[in-house]
Amino acid sequence: MSALSKTPAWLDFVQAASSSPITLDALRIVHAAELDVDLSAQRHSVALTKACAALLEQQGFETARNMLFEGGNSNWTENRPAWHTALRAKHPPASVAVAIQTEQARLAHFVEQANTQNRYRNVVHLGIGGSDWGPRLAMAALKNGGSRRTIRFASNVDAHAITTALEGLDPQDTLVVISSKSFTTIESLANAACAIDWLRAGGVAEPLERFVAVTANPRAAREFGISDDHIFQFWDWVGGRYSIWSSIGLPIALGLGQEALNEMLAGAEAMDQHFLNAPVEENAPVQMALSGVVNCSVLGYASFALCPYDARLYNLVPWLQQLEMESLGKSTQKDGETLDVPSSPAVWGMPGTDSQHTFFQWLHQDGKGAPVDFIVCAKPDHRHTRHHRLLVANCLAQRAALLKGKSYDQALAEVLKTEPDAARASTLAKHRVHPGGRPSTLIVLPQLSAKHLGSLLALYEHKVFVEGVLWGLNPFDQWGVEYGKRLAGDIERRLDALGSDPDVSPYDPSTAHWVRKLASG
Ligand code: F6P
């Protein structure tokens, strides 16, 4: 396969994207599963639309999309499907339907029993990365409707996390959920050991009876001592960061009710139908991906900011960071060649309006800035109408200011109102210029319901998938995470060198210095 940058479709794409301005007079909204995705502040033209179609064709988009939904070898470096869509399909594909529906029924039954028997006022969820951000995000986003149980999350191996999660809870009335696809992740296992000690110290004779495991490695959970009826499975064909739709959703069902989890699945399924059936120009994930590639690979934006104008969506930023950066933070293509165009922007962000008072100065006046994804709900879940009006106003205003900018002349006219000295005014005006033309996407949800949250997450999952196809990357593996983990295991053993001087010969001088200095010997 020749280098992407040299392919005819890519050359046309770059040409069209570079010469297609963001026009201030065009409205471009794509409707997707009750969400509105406004791409008016992204580059667009007839030529670019044509070039995008050719690039999608060249990169085999349709085949890749079919393969994703049919359970083909989408995760080609691990030789397996990436079949998270099957978990939320109204009619799951025959080959996995029984397994999926059996596990969903087992999970629903467990939740129902816990409810009818009024068990487990508290749930402590142990998991990290894709086994944590999904349920943590959903609980923070949806719990204002009231949570049936106290749901606490502990992911970090820093014991401050687990001690805080356990603080003040009654061990006698607490369920511990350990979620880990591999069931080998050191953070989750170390925190589980802490929880076992805490339960035992709290008078629970059989702590492991208070454990539930959610995993794609049931054998390891069994060996850990968890009983079969407390092991909820998912499968290696579900990526960790795509696993909220599986039994990983258990804390959502325990906290918000089974119907909340079902609603999220329904919202995601609705987005799947949109992604599968909407023509390319009206396909929200495809259009968001194309704008993402234009901004990163053609315009050179090395990052983008996510600014949900909803305080309940603060976990959406880390959830998306993992989804985008673990899926696309790589540069080796299917044939082993290195991708030769800029790709996979860093994702950062914060909910609005906090973000305005934190980094919008940079977004408005930094020499380059970054594209922004704005998210807002048309209808709040509170009765403070003025607050909501202010929230929406600020979201729209920031986006308009990034797009429209402010010229030197406009700034000068402003300054001259208060600064009589023309020379000083001229200098001050330069400090107030806003370059403008800053790309952004606005996603409007009717309301932050479980269904619309499900649709929103699936929208981003498919956007990332399409970017993977356009860059020729595998968005479903994460080989890069293993090396650091292995080194950590090695260093931990040396730090634990009671009484002896640890051998630090394998390390660079700095690592060697600190292993020696910080060893518990
Ligand atoms: O280290 C990264 C990672 O493997 C993620 O891909 C995954 O979501 C997370 O760790 C947790 O892994 P597990 O669910 O196997 O505990």
Side-chain angles (χ1 to χ4, degrees):
M1 187 159 95
S2 61
L4 181 59
S5 70
K6 308 266 179 324
T7 61
W10 184 265
L11 291 165
D12 291 349
F13 174 75
V14 171
Q15 166 64 34
S18 314
S19 56
S20 305
I22 300 178
T23 49
L24 295 181
D25 52 9
L27 185 57
R28 192 158 77 94
I29 300 178
V30 175
H31 308 289
E34 296 177 24
L35 274 51
D36 286 334
V37 178
D38 188 328
L39 295 146
S40 314
Q42 296 287 358
R43 292 195 174 210
H44 184 66
S45 68
V46 175
L48 184 52
T49 302
K50 205 159 150 270
C52 287
L55 184 63
L56 287 164
E57 169 85 25
Q58 175 187 282
Q59 297 303 97
F61 165 63
E62 293 228 1
T63 310
R65 181 177 57 181
N66 294 339
M67 190 190 280
L68 181 76
F69 280 86
E70 290 158 10
N73 194 20
S74 300
N75 180 355
W76 23 272
T77 59
E78 294 182 293
N79 250 338
R80 56 189 175 211
W83 223 352
H84 40 283
T85 55
L87 297 167
R88 61 227 190 183
K90 280 203 184 90
H91 308 291
S95 60
V96 289
V98 175
I100 291 172
Q101 288 159 345
T102 307
E103 223 45 43
Q104 286 174 338
R106 287 188 63 236
L107 192 110
H109 178 69
F110 176 82
V111 173
E112 194 195 324
Q113 280 217 311
N115 293 350
T116 44
Q117 296 165 8
N118 244 338
R119 298 192 68 190
Y120 316 126
R121 216 158 1 114
N122 317 305
V123 174
V124 173
H125 182 271
L126 310 178
I128 197 162
S131 295
D132 172 72
W133 286 126
R136 201 189 270 258
L137 155 65
M139 285 308 301
L142 303 171
K143 74 166 185 267
N144 72 303
S147 176
R148 188 187 183 100
R149 294 180 168 85
T150 301
I151 313 278
R152 301 258 184 95
F153 293 87
S155 53
N156 203 315
V157 78
D158 173 350
H160 298 107
I162 183 72
T163 48
T164 307
L166 296 172
E167 210 166 285
L169 299 183
D170 171 5
Q172 294 296 337
D173 206 4
T174 297
L175 177 75
V176 179
V177 176
I178 175 167
S179 290
S180 175
K181 178 178 174 182
S182 61
F183 217 84
T184 60
T185 301
I186 196 70
E187 291 94 336
S188 307
L189 296 174
N191 286 334
C194 250
I196 289 169
D197 294 347
W198 176 79
L199 287 165
R200 194 167 283 127
V204 177
E206 299 296 339
L208 283 165
E209 285 178 7
R210 295 294 173 78
F211 268 68
V212 156
V214 177
T215 185
N217 186 354
R219 195 151 62 97
R222 217 171 283 125
E223 283 161 11
F224 187 82
I226 299 171
S227 61
D228 280 345
D229 61 339
H230 273 203
I231 297 176
F232 295 99
Q233 204 177 337
F234 64 106
W235 304 273
D236 66 2
W237 42 263
V238 180
R241 52 192 176 274
Y242 300 86
S243 64
I244 187 176
W245 322 106
S246 74
S247 303
I248 289 286
L250 174 60
I252 301 168
L254 285 166
L256 304 172
Q258 188 65 42
E259 52 290 348
L261 185 56
N262 295 347
E263 279 295 296
M264 284 188 72
L265 293 168
E269 196 273 341
M271 187 57 75
D272 292 344
Q273 291 311 316
H274 167 81
F275 178 51
L276 259 179
N277 303 313
V280 159
E281 289 87 50
E282 297 302 316
N283 197 308
V286 174
Q287 291 304 317
M288 285 177 68
L290 288 164
S291 296
V293 174
V294 166
N295 291 334
C296 177
S297 303
V298 181
L299 305 178
Y301 289 107
S303 77
F304 81 85
L306 173 66
C307 297
Y309 272 65
D310 195 303
R312 298 166 292 176
L313 288 177
Y314 56 90
N315 282 326
L316 187 67
V317 176
W319 178 85
L320 190 66
Q321 283 176 325
Q322 186 196 13
L323 180 71
E324 293 252 356
M325 298 168 78
E326 204 172 83
S327 296
L328 300 170
K330 50 201 78 163
S331 52
T332 305
Q333 299 181 294
K334 197 162 190 168
D335 59 359
E337 289 302 316
T338 301
L339 177 60
D340 67 340
V341 302
S343 66
S344 40
V347 178
W348 51 287
M350 183 189 291
T353 56
D354 295 277
S355 47
Q356 289 173 203
H357 309 273
T358 309
F359 51 71
F360 267 63
Q361 165 59 41
W362 184 90
L363 285 173
H364 283 293
Q365 291 192 312
D366 171 71
K368 179 83 178 162
V372 181
D373 277 11
F374 291 91
I375 298 174
V376 75
C377 297
K379 191 168 167 298
D381 295 301
H382 59 69
R383 51 183 177 73
H384 306 287
T385 45
R386 172 123 204 274
H387 281 71
H388 191 62
R389 233 185 7 256
L390 286 167
L391 183 74
V392 171
N394 276 278
C395 176
L396 299 181
Q398 293 295 336
R399 185 166 166 266
L402 286 169
L403 177 62
K404 198 156 175 284
K406 185 191 290 182
S407 67
Y408 170 75
D409 293 342
Q410 289 168 320
L412 183 60
E414 233 178 60
V415 175
L416 283 170
K417 286 187 193 133
T418 53
E419 176 52 69
D421 178 312
R424 182 166 157 71
S426 161
T427 309
L428 287 178
K430 290 181 183 145
H431 289 264
R432 300 191 188 196
V433 171
H434 286 237
R438 304 245 150 137
S440 70
T441 295
L442 171 65
I443 303 171
V444 181
L445 278 62
Q447 194 170 6
L448 189 53
S449 65
K451 185 174 179 203
H452 297 123
L453 180 64
S455 299
L456 178 68
L457 303 188
L459 171 66
Y460 275 112
E461 287 178 348
H462 292 318
K463 175 223 173 197
V464 165
F465 169 72
V466 179
E467 286 179 332
V469 171
L470 291 167
W471 283 317
L473 301 173
N474 176 0
F476 300 115
D477 64 15
Q478 56 286 319
W479 298 106
V481 300
E482 300 308 330
Y483 182 30
K485 289 181 191 176
R486 199 168 43 70
L487 275 186
D490 199 44
I491 290 176
E492 197 240 341
R493 278 186 294 282
R494 290 166 204 263
L495 286 171
D496 187 22
L498 276 179
S500 67
D501 192 16
D503 164 22
V504 292
S505 55
Y507 303 126
D508 61 273
S510 163
T511 309
H513 168 79
W514 289 110
V515 169
R516 253 215 196 94
K517 189 148 181 157
L518 300 173
S520 51

